[in-house]
Amino acid sequence: MGKCINDIQDEIIEEFELFEDWMDKYEHIVEMGKKLPVIDPAMKTEDRLIDGCQSQVWLAAHLSDGKVFYTADSDAIITRGMVSLLIRVFSGHTPDEIANAELYMVDRIGLTSHLSPTRSNGLLSMIKRMKTYAKAHLT
Amino acid sequence: MKTNIVTYAPNAPIWQAYRNDFSILDRDVNNKPLAYLDNAASSQKPNKVIKAIVDYYEQMNANVHRGVHTLSQLSTDAFEEARKTVQFFINASSEREIVFTKGTTNAINLVAYSFGRTEIHPGDEVLISALEHHSNIVPWQMICQDKGAKLKVLPINEQGELCLDQLPSLINKKTRIVAISHVSNSLGTINPIRQIIDMAHQQDIPVLIDGAQAVPHLSVDVQALDCDFYCFSGHKMLAPTGIGVLYGKDKWLNKLTPFEGGGEMIKSVGFEHTTYNDIPFKFEAGTPHIEGVLGLAKAIEYMLDIGLKSIKAREMYLYQLAYERLAAIPGFKMIGTAKEKAPVLSFLIDNLHPYDIGVLLDKQGVAVRTGHHCTQPVMHFFNIPGTIRASFSFYNNEDDILQLDAALQKAIKLLS
């Protein structure tokens, strides 16, 4: 049995508590962005694209053994870092867990501004799409 | 009204005094001093403009052109005096040619709709350029679609300049109007609009100029330009948001039918027939943005007091200073290298995404614009996702530029 969604969120919050200033925090996000596996360019299709005004996000999802797995990418590295965090939280859980999860970690690590509609980096729509996919596969 | 006696040196101490008129520049952002370099998106407002708005509400608030009571008279006088101020500012031949709008976008839509309704027919053409802001593309696209007309586009070159040599082949008997920006918002290119207007007029084609990015930096004379329409916004030139101007030649404003119907724009209304008011009121349906108009007039007075020549020299000095510092950063690439430029510096650093840079600059108190700047066709032309755009106003100073430079270097280090 893997960790539940909230355990992962708490783990991330703890991780971010170590950073003393914004530079360290963003360095960590950029690192995560770099480590996120690059997705096959062929997967970057129009239907997987979330076109933010500032950066673009591609999101793909599939169901395996009753669990949802997400892969995603972005053209901006900070957005990729954020994408990587969201995948870490949601990927590998059941549609029911994802659909009912409350995403509190972003606020707690002080990155809420990245999810504001005005930032328009595509992340807000990405979360919505992650949830929608889960809801569509509820058993 | 345009000639000031003193011309200030671009680095004279007086500029600090002008900067002090902008209280917002004293605030911190993310615990850092604010370096506001997003002036092409919207300028800050001097205290005199803010005070003009407050004074209006505290001393004369009443609807204009309506009542015989004292306050209504006061506000009407101030409102119409403001129209004169705008007339002098752009040297229109009459205040009747000054229509107050919500902004440049609203002004362009007004012309596209009113002009398009009677002057554009199936098979006709509208000519714009590849440099245009979305607001000088989409309204024309809409009217062309409605009318079965075609939108033609004057291309740009690698420097971000209009390919003027292609203009003769794009203007023909089917062309009904040419709509071109005076200054490009994303690249800062100053377009040779005088030449374009002349070439269009040789074939009796009217020209609309989108002047949103020009009025904050350049002295505009609509009679010397001989343009048929000139549109601009208040908020980019120290005035409040929600107020803009459409200048239209008397003959055109008289000829065109109104954009919107309502109060204020009529002479008499019956259920069978309505007669319209004279220009400019015919195009100003409903209660206008009175405090916006008064704020705009105050902003113009403020700019003229400093002197447009001094402002221009100051801004180009800051632009040049920023360019020299940033150009020394490895990987710096300026987008838009036109010979004639406004103080707008659009650039990229290697393959770093503008969004990433923008986020990290913001963390360091530096406000710039990142992205496509509402000019997606320009970004497609250069095959880039967007740019980082630092744009300067006379109230910026050397420290703002040093802060931008340092913050940018820090961002690059973090991202590389």
Side-chain angles (χ1 to χ4, degrees):
Chain A
M1 179 82 184
K3 289 175 197 161
C4 75
I5 286 181
N6 286 358
D7 285 346
I8 300 171
Q9 294 203 74
D10 294 340
E11 191 180 279
I12 292 170
I13 292 164
E14 229 172 89
E15 239 172 73
F16 273 80
E17 273 167 3
L18 295 172
F19 304 125
E20 280 171 14
D21 69 0
W22 70 270
M23 279 282 285
D24 297 338
K25 190 152 80 181
Y26 276 86
E27 230 163 89
H28 187 56
I29 297 167
V30 168
E31 274 318 303
M32 286 188 302
K34 285 178 184 165
K35 280 185 199 145
L36 182 74
V38 178
I39 67 174
D40 183 355
M43 295 280 281
K44 290 185 177 178
T45 53
E46 195 66 30
D47 62 316
R48 295 192 180 98
L49 174 68
I50 299 159
D51 206 355
C53 191
Q54 295 274 338
S55 61
Q56 297 180 311
V57 175
W58 291 266
L59 176 73
H62 68 273
L63 202 62
S64 172
D65 284 339
K67 286 175 179 170
V68 184
F69 292 88
Y70 298 101
T71 45
D73 200 355
S74 172
D75 52 352
I77 194 80
I78 291 174
T79 309
R80 266 175 71 91
M82 295 294 294
V83 160
S84 139
L85 275 179
L86 293 166
I87 289 181
R88 190 165 140 202
V89 171
F90 287 129
S91 209
H93 297 280
T94 65
D96 185 59
E97 286 168 333
I98 298 165
N100 291 306
E102 190 208 334
L103 190 72
Y104 55 82
M105 146 245 41
V106 183
D107 189 29
R108 293 277 300 276
I109 60 178
L111 294 171
T112 319
S113 68
H114 288 276
L115 300 187
S116 82
T118 50
R119 189 76 88 162
S120 56
N121 50 16
L123 283 172
L124 201 62
S125 309
M126 172 180 158
I127 295 170
K128 200 174 161 213
R129 218 180 263 191
M130 287 173 114
K131 286 237 178 195
T132 306
Y133 184 86
K135 284 176 193 164
H137 292 85
L138 285 174
T139 40
Chain B
M1 199 163 171
K2 285 193 178 195
T3 47
N4 68 312
I5 305 148
V6 194
T7 306
Y8 303 123
N11 56 352
I14 185 93
W15 294 107
Q16 181 58 45
Y18 285 122
R19 182 182 172 94
N20 293 343
D21 290 337
F22 296 78
S23 305
I24 196 171
L25 299 177
D26 292 337
R27 67 159 287 173
D28 286 354
V29 166
N30 294 319
N31 300 317
K32 302 282 182 341
L34 166 65
Y36 186 79
L37 299 171
D38 193 18
N39 296 289
S42 199
S43 76
Q44 297 303 342
K45 323 300 173 199
N47 297 337
K48 279 181 184 169
V49 168
I50 297 169
K51 187 172 178 295
I53 298 165
V54 174
D55 284 352
Y56 164 72
Y57 280 113
E58 287 184 349
Q59 290 167 32
M60 62 167 85
N61 176 46
N63 212 333
V64 291
H65 308 133
R66 306 273 159 92
V68 293
H69 62 81
T70 305
L71 290 189
S72 179
Q73 283 296 327
L74 280 174
S75 62
T76 303
D77 289 350
F79 187 84
E80 289 307 322
E81 193 53 38
R83 203 188 298 273
K84 292 291 286 183
T85 305
V86 174
Q87 179 205 333
F88 294 143
F89 179 59
I90 58 170
N91 195 31
S93 54
S94 155
E95 74 265 30
R96 290 156 44 86
E97 297 177 320
I98 305 299
V99 177
F100 289 119
T101 66
K102 287 189 280 184
T104 309
T105 300
N106 183 227
I108 296 172
N109 274 279
L110 188 162
V111 178
Y113 180 86
S114 289
F115 181 92
R117 188 161 51 190
T118 55
E119 309 298 313
I120 299 176
H121 304 285
D124 285 348
E125 292 177 3
V126 170
L127 179 64
I128 60 167
S129 92
L131 265 187
E132 300 312 307
H133 187 283
H134 295 164
S135 60
N136 200 27
I137 302 174
V138 184
W140 301 111
Q141 246 166 3
M142 288 164 71
I143 195 73
C144 283
Q145 208 162 15
D146 274 6
K147 292 287 183 168
K150 208 170 167 192
L151 192 68
K152 302 289 259 188
V153 183
L154 177 66
I156 51 173
N157 63 23
E158 287 293 329
Q159 287 72 47
E161 296 167 320
L162 298 178
C163 299
L164 213 55
D165 55 325
Q166 296 192 34
L167 189 60
S169 65
L170 284 162
I171 294 184
N172 58 53
K173 280 187 194 130
K174 291 187 235 159
T175 313
R176 286 293 151 264
I177 191 166
V178 176
I180 301 271
S181 53
H182 195 166
V183 172
S184 146
N185 73 305
S186 52
L187 307 180
T189 312
I190 300 176
N191 292 321
I193 55 167
R194 188 61 227 270
Q195 279 168 271
I196 294 170
I197 293 163
D198 282 350
M199 285 165 92
H201 281 180
Q202 277 164 25
Q203 303 198 41
D204 284 330
I205 300 162
V207 179
L208 173 140
I209 302 296
D210 168 359
Q213 295 292 339
V215 283
H217 311 295
L218 308 174
S219 171
V220 172
D221 182 333
V222 290
Q223 290 189 75
L225 287 170
D226 199 27
C227 53
D228 298 272
F229 303 99
Y230 196 98
C231 312
F232 63 95
S233 300
H235 75 94
K236 292 187 199 290
M237 48 168 287
L238 317 182
T241 55
I243 185 67
V245 171
L246 165 67
Y247 157 82
K249 273 185 186 165
D250 195 301
K251 66 165 186 185
W252 279 115
L253 294 184
N254 273 313
K255 189 175 184 193
L256 300 184
T257 52
F259 176 42
E260 292 175 318
E264 190 95 339
M265 52 78 72
I266 48 85
K267 210 164 247 165
S268 69
V269 175
F271 289 117
E272 300 301 323
H273 184 69
T274 289
T275 49
Y276 303 132
N277 204 338
D278 295 329
I279 63 166
F281 308 109
K282 182 170 93 171
F283 293 102
E284 292 179 354
T287 296
H289 185 11
I290 306 168
E291 80 272 27
V293 167
L294 302 189
L296 174 62
K298 188 55 80 178
I300 290 172
E301 284 168 26
Y302 182 85
M303 283 174 71
L304 294 176
D305 279 346
I306 302 174
L308 299 179
K309 229 171 146 180
S310 295
I311 289 176
K312 189 180 174 191
R314 165 74 172 174
E315 290 172 342
M316 291 317 285
Y317 156 76
L318 292 170
Y319 166 82
Q320 197 56 35
L321 196 66
Y323 172 73
E324 279 160 21
R325 290 208 68 109
L326 268 46
I329 297 174
F332 172 86
K333 190 184 175 210
M334 184 148 93
I335 308 295
T337 48
K339 278 184 219 87
E340 296 291 327
K341 279 196 66 169
V344 171
L345 189 55
S346 229
F347 63 94
L348 286 171
I349 303 286
D350 278 331
N351 293 323
L352 298 180
H353 198 285
Y355 174 77
D356 293 325
I357 302 262
V359 168
L360 298 177
L361 290 184
D362 173 55
K363 295 302 291 181
Q364 301 174 78
V366 177
V368 293
R369 176 82 187 268
T370 58
H372 53 63
H373 319 294
C374 295
T375 56
Q376 287 178 3
V378 176
M379 301 303 130
H380 292 156
F381 174 80
F382 287 103
N383 195 24
I384 51 179
T387 72
I388 304 141
R389 183 188 70 186
S391 49
F392 305 91
S393 176
F394 62 88
Y395 51 69
N396 289 120
N397 61 16
E398 291 83 350
D399 288 345
D400 291 337
I401 290 163
L402 296 182
Q403 194 177 335
L404 165 68
D405 183 21
L408 186 59
Q409 301 213 36
K410 209 164 179 175
I412 295 166
K413 204 172 150 213
L414 202 151
L415 291 167
S416 309

